[in-house]
Amino acid sequence: MDNTHGDIVILTGAGISQESGLETFRDKGGLWSKVNIEDVATPKAYQNNPRKVQQFYNNRRRRMLNGLIKPNCAHNALAKLENEWLSKKWGKVTVITQNIDNLHELAGSENLIHMHGEILKARCQKCGYIFTCNMDLGFGEVCAGCDRINVLRPHVVWFGETPLEMERIYGLLEKCKLFISLGTSGTVYPAANFIQFVGSSPNVYTIELNMEPSNGATLFDETRYGLATDLVPLVVEELLTCGIPQKITSRI
């Protein structure tokens, strides 16, 4: 394996799923312009009004189950990159997504981390049992792990809670040769800090793909702006043809 190959870590945000018909959060007209975060996406909100919080996520879950939301060519391209990069024995491609939808899975991505959880899973607040959830919650469901009633919540990370698998994520960032940030605003931590974690390394090339510059755009080696469905397939083909670009370091 030469220095143009190695492990790749790709962070994805709402921007990649927007073109499949899912709303972003912070853009003009996004989800948080219509719903107050504090009312539906915090532990306190759930404690104060569990029915309202459950209904918010029930509605989002139904949208994913209606069969109309499908992966787009950006999701498909990332799955292709993972498969071909591994088959050529050039390294591993890991997608770390902030999205709670299942579009990466439907496209064929397998080496995937949902750091903010998954809308199509539920979790027991008492015994921690996690299971696939294709139904509305908040109506007297029984946990299959402990037989308690009304203890199930969406398996999503609310504001104020710690994202999932952080130790594994930082381990992957530490070893990667390429870091790509795709469709994310760079405002939600700790994901917004990933570029600072890898950007100072002389061994990691960094790329931002977005509709517009994120908060950390100046920290990337390369930036490209436009639709994910235009940018991602192009970058994937470049990687599969030419390998990972090399950092240009100044000489004194």
Side-chain angles (χ1 to χ4, degrees), residues 79-196:
K80 175 183 178 181
L81 177 64
E82 177 188 331
N83 179 60
E84 296 196 15
W85 202 260
L86 184 63
S87 69
K88 294 175 187 291
K89 298 183 180 179
W90 287 348
K92 292 183 179 180
V93 176
T94 305
V95 173
I96 301 168
T97 186
Q98 299 172 89
N99 301 331
I100 60 175
D101 61 61
N102 66 339
L103 296 180
H104 283 300
E105 289 95 331
L106 291 177
S109 290
E110 295 182 357
N111 199 20
L112 179 66
I113 298 174
H114 278 276
M115 64 179 294
H116 290 165
E118 301 173 64
I119 189 63
L120 296 183
K121 289 185 179 180
R123 182 171 78 245
C124 178
Q125 299 171 83
K126 298 298 183 180
C127 72
Y129 180 67
I130 299 170
F131 66 98
T132 299
C133 179
N134 297 324
M135 63 184 181
D136 286 353
L137 296 177
F139 300 95
E141 304 80 28
V142 177
C143 172
C146 65
D147 294 327
R148 292 184 175 94
I149 299 174
N150 285 333
V151 291
L152 302 179
R153 56 164 279 184
H155 183 51
V156 298
V157 176
W158 289 326
F159 289 93
E161 296 180 326
T162 302
L164 308 176
E165 300 196 58
M166 292 307 301
E167 184 176 351
R168 179 186 171 199
I169 287 171
Y170 278 112
L172 291 166
L173 292 172
E174 207 165 22
K175 295 188 297 182
C176 74
K177 292 286 293 292
L178 172 65
F179 173 71
I180 299 175
S181 178
L182 166 58
T184 179
S185 63
T187 58
V188 177
Y189 288 83
N193 192 50
F194 292 170
I195 179 56
Q196 296 180 27

Side-chain angles (χ1 to χ4, degrees), residues 34-45:
K34 303 172 185 177
V35 181
N36 191 340
I37 294 174
E38 287 76 16
D39 290 341
V40 296
T42 67
K44 185 176 179 180

